[in-house]
Amino acid sequence: MMNTSQLEIAKVPKATTSKISGSEAVIRCLLEEGVETVFGYPGGAIMPVYDALYRHVDRLTHVLVRHEQGAAHAAQGFARVTGKTGVCIATSGPGATNLITGIADAQIDSTPIVCITGQVPSHLLGTDAFQETDVVGISMPVTKWNYQVSKPEEIPYAIARAFYIANSGRPGPVLIDITKDAQFGELDFKYEKCERIRSYHPYPILDESKIKEAADLINQAKRPYILVGQGVIISGAQKELIAFAEKVGAPMASTLLGLSAVPVSHPLYVGYLGMHGNYGPNVLTNECDVLIAIGMRFDDRVTGDLDRYAKQARIIHIEIDPAEIDKNVKTTVAVNADAKQALVSLIKKVNSNQHDQWIEEFRKCEKTEQETVTRHELFPKSGEIKMAEVVRRVSEMTKGKAILVTDVGQHQMIASRYYRFDETQSNVTSGGLGTMGFSLPAAMGAKMGKPDRQVVAIIGDGGFQMTIQELGTIFQNGIDIKILVLNNHFLGMVRQWQQLFFDRRYSFTELNNPDFQLIAQGYNIQTQKVDKREDLDSAMKKWLDHKGPNLLEVIVEKEENVFPMVPSGESVSNIRLK
């Protein structure tokens, strides 16, 4: 995290053009950065910016959300599928604080967004004026950088740095808070994109000696194992990753946010890591001899009990953020570098190899998982509809090529396990923060970012109601997303833990839900409801083929549990299959 004191704000260059208002400068800065879409909600302290925006609607699309949290999540969805910086705008006070959840989510999941907030006039700062909140202070722990503008001439300088910081190195959220008098004031406008900031070095210099050390370990390995994180996607290293894995003959497993970096069909891809990941990728972590972690941070959901995590292995960690190296897991070789740069160099130094017997151990684990869990979830012969069979049909009907935007909970884990990703940058979800309500607004942003791709939002009935008002945004803007609500009338993941670890004391997790069909109809969104297995295929085809937004509600098994599962605080070797 960076703060204002770490960045020396230089003097603003002398202007060479005519004067414009600060609010007009904000819009021109966005246009100079190539921004075409922003998500926001107007209010008193940001009203001058919205007045300036009114004159630029032919060049800048503004999506009016129904809640500022939705604006932040939409900006995240846009950023995750495009690699560009998402932008959201809000007013002061509650407008700004409503962004905080999305900002925190973007921070932990390394998503580049620039948030612009209005603020009370500078002479009222600190007086508890109407809708005044110290958003710079509040957001400091969850932003990569933030800055308060109190003079109009600071606007171009601050916004240029905001975009550079947000999407360089390890990406993250940046917030620019602009007082109302700075928006009304005038400046001589000149915009220069930021390409360098003294004391900020987002791209480490690759240490070739570390690459050689890593290559030597890999060349000696008998059971090498590659863990694929989101850093691979952020750096655009998908092809290099596959070339590296194929050369050394090592199996690859993905973290939650690393999903879609590698096609699921790739012969060296062995599955999904984590608390509810696949059996083999978890168990065999404690049997590899060299662990190669690329662009991931060894989150507790991946490692389980750190005292029992990969103690037998020599660990190579390729990571752009030095703060993540040796933070949780002690490395043998630390390569502080951009993933793509490191892989390009590493490919040249590793030997061609094959590890067929080692990969066969993953396949044996896969067969065990199929017999115990998978076939019963994907192909149930009776009983209530299961979440996995619904996801399987979505995967088959979209041929694994849709952008999948999941909320948080059981359905998220099921979708991550069973959707067969075939294209990269196709998985959008809330990982580190685990934000319920993420999916619906993030799917809006994803579709705005990639209008030519099919976007499917998979949501539980609990998370759906946290941001359900964004159906209004979808309706007003005609955003063509396909919404799948898996309804089990429970806060499913919490209920599962209550069943397994709290003797079935279901304390306030059962939901008496409203009629989602009527709500969707109220927003003029086409909708269907399915509660019988024999009706599922025809309903899903109609849902996916419809032109425009469409909601499909599927009533699924009420007390279904998600397995495999690594109990909290346990070793990954003790993953439960039932």
Side-chain angles (χ1 to χ4, degrees), residues 340-409:
K340 186 171 185 174
Q341 185 186 19
L343 285 170
V344 167
S345 181
L346 195 56
I347 288 168
K348 298 173 185 176
K349 293 181 172 62
V350 292
N351 299 331
S352 295
N353 210 332
Q354 290 183 313
H355 299 281
D356 295 340
Q357 289 185 334
W358 169 228
I359 291 170
E360 182 58 27
E361 291 192 35
F362 285 90
R363 301 307 173 202
K364 289 177 182 177
C365 289
E366 186 178 325
K367 289 178 183 177
T368 300
E369 184 176 342
Q370 285 177 342
E371 286 300 310
T372 309
V373 180
T374 307
R375 67 185 181 91
H376 303 290
E377 291 190 337
L378 291 180
F379 304 101
K381 295 179 181 178
S382 61
E384 298 173 276
I385 298 171
K386 288 186 173 289
M387 290 180 281
E389 63 179 309
V390 182
V391 172
R392 173 178 65 84
R393 283 167 164 84
V394 174
S395 185
E396 291 170 350
M397 290 182 178
T398 60
K399 297 181 172 57
K401 296 184 180 299
I403 293 172
L404 200 69
V405 188
T406 52
D407 213 78
V408 171

Side-chain angles (χ1 to χ4, degrees), residues 242-257:
I242 291 172
F244 167 67
E246 290 176 346
K247 187 172 183 181
V248 301
M252 298 177 281
S254 170
T255 67
L256 175 63
L257 293 181

